[in-house]
Amino acid sequence: MRVVIVGGGPAGLYLALLLKKASPRDEITVLERNPPDATYGWGVVFSDRTLAEFREADEVTYRQITDRFVLWDAIDVYAHGERLRCGGHVFAGIARTALLEILQRRCAELGVVLRFRTEVRQPEDLPPYDLLVGADGVGSTVRSWHAEVFRPRITPGRARYIWLGTPRPFGAFTFVFRQTEWGLFQAHAYPYAGRMSTFIVECGEEAWKRAGFHEADEVQTLRRCEEIFAEVLRGNPLFSNNSRWIRFPTLRTVTWHHGRIVLLGDAAHTAHFSIGSGTKLAMEDAIALARALQTYEDLETALEAYELERRPAVEAFQRAALQSQRTFETTQRAMRLDPYRLTLYLLTRSGRISYEDLRVRDARFVQRVESHLASEWDEVRLPCPPVHLPFALRGLRLPNRIARRPASACGALDGLPGQAQQRALCGLAARGAGLVLTEILAVSPEGRITPEDAGLYRGEHGEAWKRIVQAVHAEGSRIGAVLGHAGRRGATRSRRFGVDLPLTEPWELLAPSALPYHPDGPVPRAMGREDMEAVREAFVRAARLAAHAGFDLLHLHFGSGYLLASFLSPLTNRREDAYGGSLENRMRFPLEVFRAVREVWEGPLGVTLPASDRARGGIPEQEALAIARAFREAGCDLVEVTAGQTVPDEDPTYGRGYLAPYAEAVRLEVGIPVLVGGGLTLSEANVLVASGRADLCVLDLEGDGFVDKSPPSLVS
Ligand SMILES: Cc1cc2nc3c(=O)[nH]c(=O)nc-3n(C[C@H](O)[C@H](O)[C@H](O)COP(=O)(O)OP(=O)(O)OC[C@H]3O[C@@H](n4cnc5c(N)ncnc54)[C@H](O)[C@@H]3O)c2cc1C
């Protein structure tokens, strides 16, 4: 077989040598535009797990690469004038030039034809081939010849970065944050050879311009970066290697092969540099492609098998990389965290390290974090896992950070709760939740989602809830009443039969605009001023009943497409009066209701808000933050974020913990305590609390028992 590989980077060279090794009679040619010793960038990092595969694929290069490795196991974070170190991570670094040299030498030994200084511009530049491999990086020329098939989509990151080197040998993977007169600058530095380290400088567009980098030449750029990071560089210079300020291009393609052409490495996909995996992914692609070509005689089947094997793994990395990229693009907001929380925030940014992993990696570091968090509470005398810390909210003391709510409505007759509610809520309290939340309690009969919903709209309801509240208190938990009005999502059949199935004889529904939830569902009445007053008064009456019942916290549900959420979203609020149109107008009625409740309820008052409609044309992030800010200013003590259910045709991807990024944005940007759910495990809750992304976590996975009711000081 004649294989022509365009691009002599890690992907192209590694594939060439693996193919030649497996079938010495095949003709393998690599065309590389640069001379053999020229490359961009400095060192690259591998995580330890990668290496087993390399050893199996080619022991010779594995040995040479690992012989040149610089190994370290710590991550340092420099911020707010302090350095914190967490160990146990195991990284290996190597100069990109050294890696290429090893691969080139092995290719030559095995008889691969290496043609340097050969730039491929058009198909006519290629020698004859049976298989053409585009391993020519993110700007792939090969890919561009069939762009209509590969359909590349490049999303540039928001931040600017430049890949530099320095002779300062860092002893760890190092993150440095420097607040300057121009804005926040951060560096990602790691060693890769005896006396050399990679030093990537990153900043927001604004800071980049304010610091004059957009018009600085190379020397000015290096000197300014040296000034910014003088403290950690300790007098060492920074070097450039064809380095330019760019915005990271995340590349996705709809297919990786077409006829006799296949894409490999960065030509097919990229993943943000902050999870240090581009080279690893590129070389793993090579291993998979070489294996597929040996396994299947038919080329089409082999290329299909290669893509089938690699795509899920690559996409998982791309998701983690995107999360990591977003963290670094928005670190300004995390600067309000103290060094301990910030370090944890960075370590857990891509969701791949759990709290337990961290404890295994560096138990002393975790203990230092826990000691620091415990020191903020007088009553906590020994370090404990973060969810065991108490929490204070307008005079209410919660024994821990876990909240629970019943998984489904318990059933009620005309809104009256009974034994079922008491059993469910006491059961949750007995499992150790510091805060137990009710199901959504309707503030009026028409505000119910189903006829079986519990409510808080008659004196009788208040009395019944009083008994339940006392029973939950006896279990040692606090209890919050969640009040809501279903709006256009009301009058549906019990959820036992399915979600949002309308009753055959629905009651009259209310909404900001006369838009049904489902196209063939009942059409709600657009609310007039009188309706609004009645709804507001219903919330106030419910709040008074909640106070009478002895609830510890009141929570208004203005999310999930229910009545008040429908006012907030431009998808469901089409009013042309003072309650529709601009964000200020859309917030007007929900804020009126909130303020009216605030007047009669003295205790902690929370609100559930939509952070996103997960549908085109819905609430954008900046509006969601502005909404949370407006409620904070109106006296809200706690925000729970929801996302979606505003309209039925929404983005259907609901992964575990999908609400956490929204919660983080609200907590860090708005500066208000946040309650977050979304299918969290105990480990995830520990990470969210310890890293300052959330204050309280709703654990709602069955079986994730949290039963330790000891006081925090005894827990550890
Ligand atoms: C700032 C930064 C830091 C990074 N850090 C890491 C890290 O720590 N760890 C890690 O694993 N990865 C890292 N990466 C990613 C890594 O550099 C790439 O993912 C990796 O190099 C991909 O290998 P590749 O062979 O697919 O592409 P490349 O390395 O881009 O190689 C493509 C080759 O094709 C050649 N070429 C292009 N066009 C033509 C043409 N028309 N004709 C002939 N030749 C051509 C180029 O000269 C080049 O040699 C980082 C990337 C960046 C930007």
Side-chain angles (χ1 to χ4, degrees):
M1 181 156 81
R2 292 163 307 171
V3 181
V4 171
I5 301 171
V6 181
L13 292 171
Y14 201 45
L15 176 72
L17 73 88
L18 293 179
L19 290 180
K20 193 69 184 168
K21 190 176 118 175
S23 306
R25 286 174 39 204
D26 286 354
E27 254 178 55
I28 315 289
T29 307
V30 177
L31 309 175
E32 166 58 49
R33 67 180 169 198
N34 286 330
D37 52 355
T39 185
Y40 68 88
W42 300 88
V44 291
V45 191
F46 292 95
S47 79
D48 53 339
R49 269 182 300 168
T50 324
L51 303 181
E53 266 217 79
F54 290 2
R55 178 179 215 156
E56 220 175 280
D58 183 49
E59 173 102 24
V60 175
T61 44
Y62 164 80
R63 289 213 171 282
Q64 292 173 354
I65 293 171
T66 49
D67 277 356
R68 302 282 289 270
F69 267 165
V70 176
L71 296 168
W72 71 95
D73 79 343
I75 296 180
D76 283 352
V77 175
Y78 287 80
H80 309 312
E82 274 193 56
R83 187 202 73 174
L84 280 190
R85 169 167 289 195
C86 174
H89 299 276
V90 189
F91 291 105
I94 184 169
R96 191 174 145 101
T97 43
L99 175 66
L100 293 180
E101 187 193 303
I102 291 168
L103 299 177
Q104 287 166 7
R105 204 176 332 114
R106 180 80 170 132
C107 278
E109 259 168 41
L110 290 166
V112 172
V113 178
L114 295 173
R115 287 205 219 144
F116 293 100
R117 299 183 180 85
T118 308
E119 174 144 14
V120 175
R121 293 200 174 85
Q122 56 225 350
E124 293 72 40
D125 296 342
L126 298 169
Y129 62 83
D130 302 305
L131 174 65
L132 173 63
V133 182
D136 47 349
V138 63
S140 174
T141 302
V142 173
R143 193 184 64 222
S144 71
W145 295 333
H146 298 283
E148 74 296 346
V149 178
F150 294 117
R151 305 223 316 261
R153 191 159 50 89
I154 293 186
T155 318
R158 281 190 245 160
R160 293 264 172 186
Y161 75 91
I162 187 165
W163 197 353
L164 304 172
T166 175
R168 150 99 155 91
F170 285 93
F173 205 121
T174 305
F175 297 113
V176 190
F177 297 90
R178 291 280 299 119
Q179 203 67 257
T180 70
E181 60 192 281
W182 309 293
L184 181 69
F185 280 79
Q186 54 213 30
H188 312 232
Y190 48 87
Y192 67 84
R195 291 206 49 80
M196 282 299 291
S197 299
T198 291
F199 200 89
I200 301 166
V201 179
E202 191 183 21
C203 60
E205 187 77 15
E206 295 280 293
W208 181 69
K209 282 202 181 132
R210 276 198 293 264
F213 283 119
H214 59 305
E215 46 197 21
D217 63 20
E218 187 174 89
V219 175
Q220 290 165 330
T221 297
L222 292 175
R223 295 300 87 83
R224 179 135 294 174
C225 288
E226 284 164 5
E227 276 162 38
I228 293 173
F229 294 103
E231 206 181 317
V232 287
L233 286 170
R234 297 186 192 154
N236 288 284
L238 288 172
F239 301 134
S240 159
N241 179 7
N242 297 321
S243 311
R244 288 178 305 120
W245 285 101
I246 54 170
R247 300 200 287 150
F248 189 87
T250 297
L251 166 74
R252 292 186 179 80
T253 43
V254 296
T255 178
W256 297 355
H257 64 95
H258 169 54
R260 291 182 299 145
I261 303 176
V262 63
L263 303 178
L264 202 65
D266 273 18
H269 50 73
T270 58
H272 192 251
F273 64 82
S274 59
I275 62 162
S277 56
T279 310
K280 161 198 152 78
L281 291 176
M283 291 174 71
E284 284 174 355
D285 280 0
I287 295 173
L289 180 56
R291 192 166 42 221
L293 289 168
Q294 258 105 68
T295 311
Y296 302 98
E297 272 188 19
D298 171 52
L299 185 63
E300 173 67 25
T301 312
L303 300 186
E304 192 64 34
Y306 151 69
E307 186 167 339
L308 269 178
E309 177 185 335
R310 291 297 297 152
R311 193 178 268 281
V314 165
E315 286 177 351
F317 266 93
Q318 284 185 313
R319 278 193 297 277
L322 192 64
Q323 241 169 296
S324 174
Q325 175 178 352
R326 288 209 178 119
T327 304
F328 285 109
E329 288 177 350
T330 54
T331 29
Q332 181 61 58
R333 71 186 183 201
M335 286 300 119
R336 63 163 70 211
L337 299 174
D338 61 68
Y340 288 92
R341 286 183 172 85
L342 178 65
T343 302
L344 224 93
Y345 174 85
L346 293 170
L347 291 174
T348 54
R349 67 188 182 279
S350 66
R352 291 182 303 163
I353 300 184
S354 71
Y355 201 73
E356 285 68 38
D357 287 340
L358 272 180
R359 202 186 286 286
V360 170
R361 287 173 194 221
D362 190 342
R364 273 183 52 206
F365 168 77
V366 172
Q367 196 170 17
R368 282 182 71 196
V369 172
E370 291 180 353
S371 300
H372 169 75
L373 298 178
S375 71
E376 297 171 342
W377 301 91
D378 289 344
E379 68 266 47
V380 183
R381 267 170 273 128
L382 283 174
C384 61
V387 297
H388 287 269
L389 292 169
F391 192 60
L393 212 54
R394 200 183 279 256
L396 171 68
R397 207 60 161 183
L398 296 176
N400 60 54
R401 304 303 185 91
I402 295 300
R404 286 208 188 252
R405 54 163 58 103
S408 53
C410 301
L413 199 61
D414 190 14
L416 189 68
Q419 283 302 316
Q421 276 80 7
Q422 180 159 336
R423 261 197 311 276
L425 294 168
C426 287
L428 296 175
R431 290 174 78 186
L435 177 66
V436 165
L437 292 167
T438 65
E439 60 199 274
I440 300 177
L441 307 182
V443 295
S444 62
E446 331 65 64
R448 289 173 300 170
I449 303 166
T450 80
E452 296 177 12
D453 284 4
L456 202 44
Y457 49 85
R458 293 204 325 244
E460 232 185 308
H461 297 161
E463 293 306 324
W465 280 112
K466 194 172 188 172
R467 288 189 289 278
I468 298 172
V469 167
Q470 283 166 357
V472 170
H473 282 165
E475 291 288 347
S477 292
R478 301 291 175 194
I479 177 165
V482 181
L483 303 182
H485 188 299
R488 68 183 196 143
R489 292 190 69 196
T492 62
R493 298 179 69 194
S494 159
R495 295 217 162 170
R496 287 195 304 276
F497 305 110
V499 180
D500 292 319
L501 300 177
L503 293 172
T504 35
E505 287 181 35
W507 55 78
E508 189 180 36
L509 300 178
L510 293 178
S513 306
L515 300 169
Y517 189 68
H518 283 289
D520 52 354
V523 179
R525 180 155 60 84
M527 289 167 75
R529 191 58 224 161
E530 276 177 16
D531 297 315
M532 289 189 193
E533 275 159 24
V535 166
R536 192 189 60 213
E537 286 318 303
F539 270 93
V540 168
R541 178 184 56 207
R544 288 203 172 102
L545 289 171
H548 171 78
F551 279 105
D552 304 289
L553 172 141
L554 196 62
H555 198 82
L556 310 184
H557 201 301
F558 290 1
S560 306
Y562 297 126
L563 183 65
L564 280 306
S566 302
F567 272 87
L568 293 171
S569 172
L571 293 172
T572 45
N573 181 343
R574 303 278 168 77
R575 297 177 75 98
E576 290 178 354
D577 60 3
Y579 293 93
S582 67
L583 176 62
E584 199 190 345
N585 283 0
R586 282 181 275 127
M587 285 195 295
R588 196 180 305 278
F589 182 54
L591 280 170
E592 274 178 24
V593 173
F594 182 85
R595 288 199 185 98
V597 171
R598 182 73 283 178
E599 268 181 31
V600 300
W601 175 266
E602 287 177 1
L605 180 57
V607 62
T608 299
L609 292 173
S612 158
D613 291 322
R614 297 168 67 91
R616 194 180 287 271
I619 298 174
E621 185 183 348
Q622 284 315 312
E623 281 199 359
L625 296 175
I627 293 170
R629 222 169 266 126
F631 277 88
R632 187 198 61 194
E633 278 156 22
C636 176
D637 301 307
L638 177 73
V639 166
E640 178 181 21
V641 290
T642 54
Q645 299 186 53
T646 309
V647 287
D649 50 338
E650 60 177 3
D651 172 3
T653 45
Y654 283 87
R656 260 209 5 233
Y658 73 101
L659 290 171
Y662 300 119
E664 170 189 330
V666 170
R667 186 176 191 276
L668 296 180
E669 299 250 356
V670 181
I672 187 166
V674 163
L675 166 79
V676 64
L680 298 174
T681 63
L682 192 55
S683 171
E684 286 159 347
N686 271 320
V687 166
L688 292 175
V689 171
S691 61
R693 292 180 170 97
D695 299 278
L696 298 169
C697 297
V698 185
L699 286 194
D700 45 13
L701 289 185
E702 281 304 315
D704 193 352
F706 177 81
V707 287
D708 199 330
K709 301 191 74 180
S710 339
S713 55
L714 301 178
V715 167
S716 69

